[in-house]
Amino acid sequence: MPDWLQSRHALITGGGTGIGASAATHLNAAGAKVTVLGRRAEPLEFVRNIVGGTAVQADVTDRGDIDRAFDEARATNGPIEMLIVNAGIADSAPFAKTTRESWDRIIATNLTAAFDCAQAALPDLLASEHGRLIFVASVASLRGVPYAAPYAASKHGVLGLMRSLAVEFARTSLTVNAVCPGYVDTQMTSDSIARVMAKTGRSEEQSRAAIEGQNASGRLVHPDTIGTMIMTLCLAQSQDVNGAAITIDGGTSA
Ligand code: NDP
């Protein structure tokens, strides 16, 4: 088993499923101590049983909950030297029918929580010899998305946060980066397919094909492609990758 990450502590929000679970697996395989964080106990325990490490339940829209959960994680695994800000939600609706409640919920989960998590871990990240702050953004951080204005706005905001912190801390040992996936084969995409079916009356096959066609490759990105990139960004050898928004979508779909 390689020990590139030398038992350093990685905390992954939304670590119980999809991209977060894959990041937990790859970070653990590279030698990190892993904490997975989310609201539901069951998926967290599932990942913890496979990967080891620690599972902490918290809602990232609640700053008090974040602080409590991060302290719980530190008590077991030590300072948080790598923070993967991955928890997120999506929804879709025409803009005219998008509710203020949906806007608030998506901005709170995808953007305000990114601010809170980054700030809560900052002293640990700066004290580390190889601090790593990685945001799971989206191709929706880079272009507009019809029927998903709150999601695209939240993910654009995440890139602004990432780029600002990368410049602010450029002279320290902390690096700050983002991965920007296209459609990935996770529950979030299954939910998108279900929404297309419900709203258009298309079959599951047709709806899946429509979503897959949004990626230039014509297929969904495998979560491990994202998990492996996150692990790579955490390596000491990645110290000069800072402020990058790494697109992982199977090819540019202009
Ligand atoms: P999942 O739905 O599998 O993962 C989302 C995770 O976020 C879940 O583990 C969920 O756990 C957690 N989460 C959601 N809300 C909260 C909350 N309030 N507090 C704590 N945890 C929360 O989908 P993905 O793995 O695909 O999504 C991970 C990230 O990747 C998201 O930020 C998403 O926007 C981004 N992304 C996904 C793409 C895709 O095509 N799937 C494309 C581009 C980006 P729980 O419900 O238990 O709290």
Side-chain angles (χ1 to χ4, degrees):
M1 177 74 70
D3 194 21
W4 296 325
L5 296 177
Q6 299 170 324
S7 301
R8 291 191 289 125
H9 178 194
L11 188 147
I12 303 144
T13 70
T17 61
I19 292 169
S22 175
T25 306
H26 288 281
L27 287 164
N28 172 260
K33 285 184 285 187
V34 165
T35 299
V36 287
L37 179 151
R39 291 168 302 182
R40 291 167 296 153
E42 198 182 327
L44 295 173
E45 281 307 316
F46 182 78
V47 171
R48 198 180 64 85
N49 283 333
I50 296 168
V51 167
T54 306
V56 288
Q57 270 180 275
D59 184 333
V60 295
T61 62
D62 178 337
R63 176 62 193 258
D65 223 17
I66 293 170
D67 288 336
R68 176 199 49 78
F70 280 22
D71 280 346
E72 211 176 303
R74 286 185 186 102
T76 314
N77 290 330
I80 299 163
E81 297 186 71
M82 296 164 274
L83 176 66
I84 320 303
V85 178
N86 165 74
I89 55 171
D91 202 356
S92 48
F95 181 64
K97 290 187 177 170
T98 298
T99 62
R100 177 60 194 273
E101 184 279 326
S102 174
W103 169 270
D104 286 344
R105 195 163 39 87
I106 291 171
I107 295 293
T109 308
N110 295 0
L111 181 56
T112 308
F115 166 90
D116 281 336
C117 288
Q119 208 176 56
L122 187 64
D124 287 1
L125 296 173
L126 287 172
S128 169
E129 199 183 340
H130 300 292
R132 297 287 183 265
L133 174 55
I134 300 169
F135 296 98
V136 178
S138 171
V139 291
S141 301
L142 304 165
R143 58 177 185 247
V145 185
Y147 309 110
Y151 184 77
S154 71
K155 292 295 185 178
H156 273 66
V158 166
L159 272 204
L161 177 64
M162 179 280 287
R163 287 182 171 129
S164 300
L165 300 186
V167 177
E168 187 167 331
F169 299 112
R171 300 275 170 134
T172 74
S173 53
L174 170 63
T175 66
V176 188
N177 292 288
V179 290
C180 298
Y183 279 103
V184 184
D185 195 2
T186 68
Q187 186 59 45
M188 184 177 279
T189 297
S190 300
D191 293 344
S192 298
I193 292 168
R195 280 196 299 273
V196 172
M197 287 167 67
K199 284 175 185 165
T200 65
R202 291 187 205 165
S203 68
E204 183 179 355
E205 199 180 29
Q206 289 168 328
S207 304
R208 175 172 283 275
I211 295 276
E212 287 171 344
Q214 301 284 314
N215 289 347
S217 61
R219 63 172 186 271
L220 298 181
V221 175
H222 196 288
D224 284 344
T225 309
I226 316 295
T228 307
M229 179 57 71
I230 289 170
M231 182 278 288
T232 303
L233 288 169
C234 286
L235 298 175
Q237 292 88 336
S238 297
Q239 66 181 0
D240 294 313
V241 183
N242 189 39
I246 300 170
T247 302
I248 309 174
D249 66 350
T252 305
S253 43

